[in-house]
């Protein structure tokens, strides 16, 4: 039973759903949504609603992750958090592109 393969399959499905599929069909985001988690230098982005939501989700799973007995359990919790943002909250993970000036 190969747990690494299972994690990789789930990761591939999630990245395809988040617009980061292998064919690189990413689009320019003019304005991040309220449930988007944004990555950019600076402290002002800490207060973006999506980043606050993300921190709340991570905090809600902290104890469960801390008490997990195996690496597989920890990985599954991590992927649950990502799935929560992408699927159930309809959010995205956005990284600022300095050269283009877009997400």
């Amino acid at each position: 039973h190969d747990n690494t393969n299972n994690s990789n399959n789930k990761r591939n499905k999630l990245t395809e759903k988040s617009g980061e599929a292998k064919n690189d069909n990413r689009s320019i985001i003019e304005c991040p949504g309220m449930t988007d988690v944004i990555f950019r230098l600076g402290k002002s982005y800490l207060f973006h609603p999506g980043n606050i939501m993300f921190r709340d989700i991570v905090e809600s799973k902290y104890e469960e992750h801390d008490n997990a007995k195996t690496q597989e359990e920890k990985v599954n919790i991590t992927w649950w958090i990502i799935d929560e943002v992408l699927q159930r909250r309809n959010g995205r993970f956005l990284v600022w592109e300095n050269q283009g000036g877009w997400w």
Side-chain angles (χ1 to χ4, degrees):
H1 179 31
D2 186 5
N3 295 328
T4 305
N5 194 22
N6 185 26
S7 292
N8 287 338
N9 287 339
K10 190 168 188 175
R11 182 174 329 179
N12 289 339
K13 288 178 186 174
L14 287 172
T15 54
E16 287 171 10
K17 290 177 184 175
S18 70
E20 298 176 18
K22 292 178 184 173
N23 62 4
D24 205 21
N25 268 349
R26 291 184 267 180
S27 58
I28 296 172
I29 308 298
E30 290 186 26
C31 182
M34 299 294 278
T35 58
D36 290 336
V37 179
I38 57 178
F39 297 93
R40 184 177 180 181
L41 292 177
K43 292 187 178 189
S44 64
Y45 297 97
L46 294 173
F47 303 105
H48 181 272
N51 290 38
I52 294 170
M53 171 198 72
F54 181 67
R55 284 194 307 275
D56 288 344
I57 295 168
V58 169
E59 188 175 302
S60 75
K61 290 294 186 176
Y62 176 80
E63 191 172 328
E64 183 180 347
H65 187 272
D66 195 43
N67 292 329
K69 303 273 188 253
T70 66
Q71 186 65 31
E72 179 185 7
E73 287 178 296
K74 290 179 182 288
V75 167
N76 287 337
I77 293 165
T78 302
W79 281 111
W80 182 93
I81 292 169
I82 293 168
D83 191 49
E84 177 71 18
V85 172
L86 296 176
Q87 304 302 314
R88 290 182 284 282
R89 310 267 179 124
N90 202 28
R92 299 169 290 189
F93 292 93
L94 305 177
V95 178
W96 180 254
E97 295 288 340
N98 281 327
Q99 288 180 312
W102 58 67
W103 300 100

